[in-house]
Structure formats: C-alpha cells, structure tokens
C-alpha cells in the first residue's frame, strides 16, 4: 500500500493508494459547482504511507469558476467557510485571530497565487489594537497578512520570516 510518487496535495496522495487505508477518513461534497475533498489522517501508519503528518487537509477544486463571476463568488464563499471552519475547530473559538501568509514568488505567474491572494484579504488586527469598540462593532475576526517573498529575492527563508512574525503576532 505504500504511496509511490510525490504530491503536496493529500487528496492526490490518498487517491493513488489501492484500497482502503486505516487511519484515513475521506469525505467529499459539491456546492455551487465547487468540489471539496477532505482528508483526515488520524494514525501514524497512514501518515507514513501518505507522506503527510497527521491532520486535516482540504482541497477545493473550483474548476472553471474563474470564468463566471457568480460561480467565482460562490467558490470564494466555499473556501472562506472551509478555512473558517478549520480555525474554529482548532481553536474552539467563534471569534479568533488569524495570520494569513501569502507564500510564493510574485514575479512568477505560476507561483504567485499566495501573494496575489494575500492582496484580497481584509486586514483587521490594527483596528482591534486602535479601538476595541470599533472592532467589536465591525464583527470581524482579527486578521494579519504577510507576504514574506522567496529566498532568492529576500535572502531570508520564508519559514524563518513566518516563525518570527507568528511569535510577534501570536495568532490563535
């Protein structure tokens, strides 16, 4: 049953395994033309076979939603709900602070999704620090964003920048 091949995507790794694998729970659903696959790896043995740490992985396939504005908006809603759900399950909080990192090289089209996505995030942490009252009236979560760049452009490993910023920001 050993997974042969390499993929950063848990759902791809699981789909390449023949038969069922103990310690892996796979669920799928579709909403508004968007396909969602959730993989939960619950056992060490399954983790070793798949090559991913134990945890929860979500793949959202938006297909060609980018070609239709209403379909794209629906896809954004699905992605937002999935991310929010994961954070709420992990923190146990309805209101939480999040740190979004746009990883990738903004100079390469094929690697720019992280930095480009970060541009669309509504950043609110500074509002909470400025005025708790205004922040509570907005009914948002506290969100910070960073786009650390890539080693070849900054001379700094992205992981080092993220760790340092996480320590300072201390998100949930």
């Amino acid at each position: 049953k050993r997974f042969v091949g390499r993929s950063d995507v848990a759902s791809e790794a699981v789909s390449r395994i023949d038969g069922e694998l103990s310690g892996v729970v796979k669920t799928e659903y579709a909403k508004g033309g968007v396909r969602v696959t959730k993989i939960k790896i619950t056992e060490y043995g399954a983790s070793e076979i798949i090559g991913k740490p134990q945890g929860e992985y979500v793949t959202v396939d938006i297909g060609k939603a980018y070609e239709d504005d209403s379909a794209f908006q629906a896809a954004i809603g699905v992605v937002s709900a999935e991310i929010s759900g994961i954070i709420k399950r992990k923190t146990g909080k309805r209101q939480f602070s999040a740190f979004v990192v746009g990883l990738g090289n903004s100079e390469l089209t094929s690697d720019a999704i992280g930095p480009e996505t970060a541009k669309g995030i509504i950043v609110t942490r500074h509002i909470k620090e400025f005025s708790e009252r205004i922040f509570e009236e907005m009914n948002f979560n506290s969100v910070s964003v960073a786009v650390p760049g890539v080693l070849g452009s900054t001379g700094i490993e992205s992981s080092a920048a993220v760790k340092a910023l996480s320590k300072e920001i201390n998100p949930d």
Side-chain angles (χ1 to χ4, degrees), residues 83 98-108 111-121 123 143-151 153-154 156-159 161-162 165-166 169:
I83 291 171
F99 177 35
V100 178
V101 180
L103 293 176
N105 185 345
S106 59
E107 302 300 316
L108 295 173
D111 197 31
I113 192 168
E116 288 300 311
T117 300
K119 290 178 185 177
I121 303 295
V123 179
V143 179
S144 305
V145 174
V147 180
V150 294
L151 180 63
S153 300
T154 65
I156 303 167
E157 284 285 357
S158 297
S159 60
V162 171
L165 287 167
S166 292
I169 295 167

Coordinates of all heavy atoms in Angstrom, one line a residue, residues 83 98-108 111-121 123 143-151 153-154 156-159 161-162 165-166 169:
I83 N -12.0 27.4 5.5 CA -10.9 28.0 6.3 C -11.4 28.4 7.7 O -10.8 28.1 8.7 CB -10.2 29.2 5.6 CG1 -9.5 28.7 4.4 CG2 -9.3 29.9 6.6 CD1 -9.0 29.8 3.5
A98 N -6.3 35.4 13.3 CA -5.7 34.6 12.2 C -4.5 35.4 11.6 O -4.5 36.6 11.5 CB -6.7 34.2 11.1
F99 N -3.5 34.6 11.2 CA -2.4 35.2 10.5 C -2.3 34.5 9.1 O -2.1 33.3 9.0 CB -1.1 34.9 11.3 CG 0.2 35.4 10.6 CD1 0.2 36.5 9.8 CD2 1.4 34.7 10.8 CE1 1.4 36.9 9.3 CE2 2.5 35.1 10.3 CZ 2.6 36.2 9.5
V100 N -2.5 35.2 8.0 CA -2.6 34.7 6.7 C -1.2 35.0 6.0 O -0.8 36.1 6.1 CB -3.7 35.3 5.9 CG1 -3.7 34.7 4.4 CG2 -5.0 35.0 6.5
V101 N -0.6 33.9 5.5 CA 0.7 34.1 4.8 C 0.6 33.8 3.3 O 0.1 32.7 2.9 CB 1.8 33.2 5.4 CG1 3.1 33.4 4.7 CG2 1.9 33.5 6.9
G102 N 0.9 34.8 2.5 CA 0.9 34.6 1.0 C 2.2 34.1 0.5 O 3.1 34.9 0.2
L103 N 2.4 32.8 0.6 CA 3.7 32.2 0.1 C 3.8 32.1 -1.4 O 2.8 31.8 -2.1 CB 3.9 30.8 0.7 CG 4.1 30.7 2.2 CD1 4.1 29.3 2.6 CD2 5.3 31.5 2.7
G104 N 4.9 32.4 -1.9 CA 5.1 32.2 -3.4 C 5.9 33.4 -3.9 O 6.2 34.4 -3.2
N105 N 6.3 33.3 -5.2 CA 7.1 34.3 -5.8 C 6.2 35.1 -6.7 O 5.7 34.7 -7.7 CB 8.2 33.6 -6.7 CG 9.1 34.6 -7.3 OD1 8.8 35.8 -7.4 ND2 10.2 34.1 -7.8
S106 N 6.0 36.4 -6.3 CA 5.0 37.2 -7.1 C 5.5 37.6 -8.5 O 4.8 38.1 -9.3 CB 4.8 38.5 -6.3 OG 6.0 39.2 -6.0
E107 N 6.8 37.3 -8.7 CA 7.4 37.6 -10.0 C 7.2 36.4 -11.1 O 7.4 36.6 -12.2 CB 8.9 37.8 -9.9 CG 9.2 39.0 -9.0 CD 8.6 40.3 -9.4 OE1 8.7 40.6 -10.6 OE2 8.1 41.0 -8.6
L108 N 6.7 35.3 -10.6 CA 6.4 34.2 -11.5 C 4.9 33.9 -11.5 O 4.4 33.5 -10.4 CB 7.2 32.9 -11.0 CG 8.7 32.9 -11.1 CD1 9.3 31.7 -10.4 CD2 9.1 33.0 -12.5
D111 N 3.7 30.8 -9.6 CA 4.0 30.8 -8.2 C 3.4 31.9 -7.4 O 3.7 32.1 -6.3 CB 5.5 30.7 -8.0 CG 5.9 30.2 -6.6 OD1 5.1 29.4 -6.0 OD2 6.9 30.6 -6.1
A112 N 2.6 32.7 -8.1 CA 2.1 34.0 -7.5 C 0.8 33.9 -6.8 O 0.3 34.9 -6.3 CB 2.0 35.1 -8.6
I113 N 0.2 32.7 -6.7 CA -1.2 32.6 -6.1 C -1.2 33.1 -4.6 O -2.1 33.8 -4.2 CB -1.8 31.2 -6.2 CG1 -3.3 31.3 -5.9 CG2 -1.0 30.2 -5.4 CD1 -4.0 30.1 -6.2
G114 N -0.1 32.8 -3.8 CA -0.1 33.2 -2.4 C -0.1 34.7 -2.3 O -0.9 35.3 -1.6
P115 N 0.9 35.4 -2.9 CA 1.0 36.8 -2.9 C -0.3 37.5 -3.4 O -0.8 38.5 -2.9 CB 2.2 37.2 -3.7 CG 3.1 36.0 -3.6 CD 2.1 34.8 -3.6
E116 N -0.8 37.0 -4.5 CA -2.0 37.6 -5.1 C -3.2 37.4 -4.2 O -4.0 38.3 -4.1 CB -2.3 37.0 -6.5 CG -1.3 37.4 -7.6 CD -1.2 38.9 -7.8 OE1 -2.3 39.5 -8.0 OE2 -0.2 39.5 -7.8
T117 N -3.3 36.3 -3.6 CA -4.5 36.0 -2.7 C -4.4 36.9 -1.5 O -5.4 37.5 -1.0 CB -4.5 34.5 -2.3 OG1 -4.6 33.7 -3.4 CG2 -5.6 34.3 -1.3
A118 N -3.2 37.1 -1.0 CA -3.0 38.0 0.2 C -3.5 39.4 -0.1 O -4.0 40.1 0.9 CB -1.5 38.0 0.6
K119 N -3.4 39.9 -1.3 CA -3.9 41.2 -1.6 C -5.4 41.4 -1.4 O -5.8 42.5 -1.1 CB -3.6 41.5 -3.1 CG -2.1 41.7 -3.4 CD -2.0 42.0 -4.9 CE -0.5 42.1 -5.3 NZ -0.4 42.3 -6.8
G120 N -6.1 40.3 -1.4 CA -7.6 40.4 -1.3 C -8.1 40.1 0.2 O -9.3 40.2 0.4
I121 N -7.2 39.9 1.1 CA -7.6 39.6 2.5 C -7.9 41.0 3.2 O -7.1 41.9 3.1 CB -6.4 38.9 3.2 CG1 -6.1 37.6 2.5 CG2 -6.8 38.7 4.7 CD1 -7.1 36.5 2.5
V123 N -7.6 43.0 6.2 CA -6.7 43.0 7.4 C -7.4 43.9 8.5 O -7.8 45.0 8.2 CB -5.4 43.6 7.0 CG1 -4.5 43.7 8.2 CG2 -4.7 42.8 5.9
V143 N -7.4 39.8 11.9 CA -6.6 39.2 10.8 C -5.4 40.0 10.4 O -5.5 41.2 10.3 CB -7.5 39.0 9.5 CG1 -6.7 38.4 8.4 CG2 -8.7 38.2 9.8
S144 N -4.2 39.3 10.3 CA -3.0 39.9 9.9 C -2.5 39.2 8.6 O -2.9 38.0 8.4 CB -1.9 39.7 10.9 OG -2.3 40.2 12.1
V145 N -1.8 39.9 7.7 CA -1.3 39.2 6.5 C 0.1 39.6 6.3 O 0.6 40.7 6.6 CB -2.1 39.8 5.3 CG1 -1.6 39.2 4.0 CG2 -3.6 39.4 5.4
A146 N 0.9 38.6 5.8 CA 2.3 38.9 5.4 C 2.6 38.2 4.1 O 2.0 37.1 3.8 CB 3.2 38.4 6.5
V147 N 3.4 38.8 3.3 CA 3.9 38.2 2.1 C 5.4 38.2 2.2 O 6.0 39.2 1.8 CB 3.4 38.9 0.8 CG1 3.9 38.3 -0.5 CG2 1.9 39.0 0.8
P148 N 6.0 37.1 2.7 CA 7.4 37.2 3.0 C 8.4 37.1 1.8 O 9.6 37.3 2.0 CB 7.6 36.0 4.0 CG 6.6 35.0 3.5 CD 5.4 35.9 3.1
G149 N 7.9 36.9 0.6 CA 8.8 36.7 -0.5 C 9.5 35.4 -0.5 O 9.1 34.5 0.3
V150 N 10.4 35.2 -1.4 CA 11.1 34.0 -1.5 C 12.6 34.2 -1.3 O 13.1 35.3 -1.4 CB 10.9 33.3 -2.9 CG1 9.4 32.9 -3.1 CG2 11.3 34.3 -4.0
L151 N 13.3 33.2 -0.9 CA 14.7 33.2 -0.5 C 15.5 33.9 -1.6 O 16.4 34.8 -1.3 CB 15.2 31.8 -0.3 CG 16.7 31.7 0.1 CD1 17.0 32.4 1.4 CD2 17.1 30.2 0.2
S153 N 14.8 36.3 -3.5 CA 14.6 37.7 -3.6 C 14.9 38.4 -2.3 O 15.2 39.6 -2.3 CB 13.1 38.0 -3.9 OG 12.7 37.4 -5.1
T154 N 14.8 37.7 -1.2 CA 14.9 38.4 0.1 C 16.2 38.0 0.9 O 16.6 38.7 1.8 CB 13.7 38.1 1.0 OG1 13.7 36.7 1.3 CG2 12.4 38.5 0.4
I156 N 16.1 35.6 2.9 CA 15.5 35.0 4.1 C 14.6 33.9 3.8 O 13.8 34.0 2.9 CB 14.7 36.1 4.9 CG1 15.6 37.3 5.2 CG2 14.1 35.5 6.1 CD1 14.8 38.5 5.6
E157 N 14.8 32.7 4.4 CA 13.8 31.6 4.3 C 12.4 32.1 4.7 O 12.3 32.7 5.7 CB 14.3 30.4 5.1 CG 15.4 29.7 4.6 CD 15.1 28.8 3.4 OE1 13.9 28.7 3.0 OE2 16.0 28.2 2.8
S158 N 11.4 31.8 3.9 CA 10.1 32.1 4.2 C 9.7 31.6 5.6 O 9.0 32.3 6.4 CB 9.1 31.6 3.2 OG 9.4 32.1 1.9
S159 N 10.1 30.4 5.9 CA 9.7 29.8 7.2 C 10.3 30.6 8.3 O 9.6 30.7 9.4 CB 10.2 28.3 7.2 OG 11.6 28.2 7.1
A161 N 10.9 33.8 8.4 CA 10.1 35.0 8.5 C 8.7 34.8 9.1 O 8.3 35.5 10.0 CB 9.9 35.7 7.1
V162 N 8.1 33.7 8.7 CA 6.8 33.3 9.2 C 6.9 33.0 10.7 O 6.0 33.5 11.5 CB 6.1 32.2 8.4 CG1 4.9 31.7 9.1 CG2 5.8 32.6 7.0
L165 N 7.3 36.3 12.7 CA 6.1 37.1 12.7 C 5.0 36.5 13.5 O 4.3 37.1 14.3 CB 5.6 37.4 11.3 CG 6.4 38.3 10.4 CD1 6.0 38.3 9.0 CD2 6.2 39.8 11.0
S166 N 4.9 35.2 13.5 CA 4.0 34.4 14.3 C 4.2 34.6 15.8 O 3.3 34.8 16.6 CB 4.0 32.9 14.0 OG 3.5 32.7 12.7
I169 N 3.0 38.3 16.5 CA 1.6 38.4 16.4 C 0.8 37.6 17.3 O -0.2 37.9 17.8 CB 1.2 38.2 14.9 CG1 1.8 39.3 14.0 CG2 -0.3 38.2 14.7 CD1 1.7 38.9 12.5

